Amino acid sequence: MKLENKRETDEAPGLSAPDGERRIYFVRHGKTEWNNQFRYQGATNVPLCAEGREQARRAGLRLSKLKIETIICSPLDRAFETARCIASFHPGVRVEKNPLLTEVNFGSWEGLTVPEIKTHSGEELFYKWRMNELHVSAPGGEDADAVYERASRAAGELLSCSEKLIVVVGHGAMFRALFLPLLGIPRSNIFWKMRIDNCSVSAAGVDKNGRTTLSFLNDTLHMRVPEDKIADLPLA
């Protein structure tokens, strides 16, 4: 029998999968006033607040030594402004808006806090959604099937890109949905088991066959060190 992936089969058991020939970095947008008030934003176009702009600048410093080829972002202002901040450290690198990366639409829950949502729709529905957003939809919001289908299309586009180093700037809920098809994980209830903070950096490696490995998730070290140390922090 011919082995198609001899390099992988020769590796010792327990070793991590190869990181791949390409790298995709994922940056959640900086904070907004609604984030600080714990309000669901979804597709509502809320801009960055002063704290969020500072977070975006620090994320830009964190990625400043990378040889970024392109930056792809959600068209919502909070993501686009974060992407532009990152791009400011890379003259000539363009920012491309992709509607597939728009945050999940939370319908009548947008602008509400969790206590307000429970009053509006009842605790039972909220907790069903919270436990398994990819199977339960918010009232008047984007259908769960549509979210997963959109995430799958976005994953396909990212995997088909020819650039070796891409930065994707987007949103917490959409990234959680996106990572499933990107990594080949079946649609499941792990959605809320992934922490993705504002302006955190996550990364995935993609090999020559399009297989993807999550390299790291929710790195926020650049928010906690002196500014002059940020650019030299590792991204491994």
Side-chain angles (χ1 to χ4, degrees), residues 40 109 112-127 130:
Y40 279 72
W109 291 354
L112 303 183
T113 63
V114 170
E116 290 169 343
I117 289 172
K118 291 178 181 178
T119 299
H120 178 279
S121 301
E123 291 192 7
E124 183 178 358
L125 176 60
F126 174 76
Y127 284 120
R130 181 75 185 193

Side-chain angles (χ1 to χ4, degrees), residues 4-62:
E4 298 295 336
N5 299 300
K6 187 175 185 301
R7 180 180 174 185
E8 290 186 14
T9 60
D10 285 345
E11 291 173 350
L15 291 181
S16 297
D19 201 27
E21 300 178 341
R22 298 171 49 217
R23 180 66 78 89
I24 306 174
Y25 290 92
F26 299 88
V27 181
R28 186 185 173 192
H29 63 80
K31 279 188 176 182
T32 71
E33 289 298 340
W34 279 18
N35 283 136
N36 285 331
Q37 296 167 11
F38 303 102
R39 298 187 182 277
Y40 279 72
Q41 295 178 113
T44 303
N45 203 12
V46 185
L48 296 180
C49 62
E51 182 184 1
R53 290 191 291 273
E54 172 61 15
Q55 288 179 327
R57 190 178 68 82
R58 282 179 164 259
L61 278 170
R62 183 72 185 278

Side-chain angles (χ1 to χ4, degrees), residues 97-111:
K97 294 181 180 180
N98 187 333
L100 292 175
L101 297 172
T102 302
E103 179 61 303
V104 176
N105 188 319
F106 298 134
S108 60
W109 291 354
E110 298 205 0

Side-chain angles (χ1 to χ4, degrees), residues 206-223:
V206 185
D207 71 13
K208 63 182 179 181
N209 296 312
R211 290 171 301 194
T212 309
T213 302
L214 185 65
S215 303
F216 60 86
L217 180 72
N218 199 48
D219 185 331
T220 58
L221 191 57
H222 46 286
M223 303 298 178

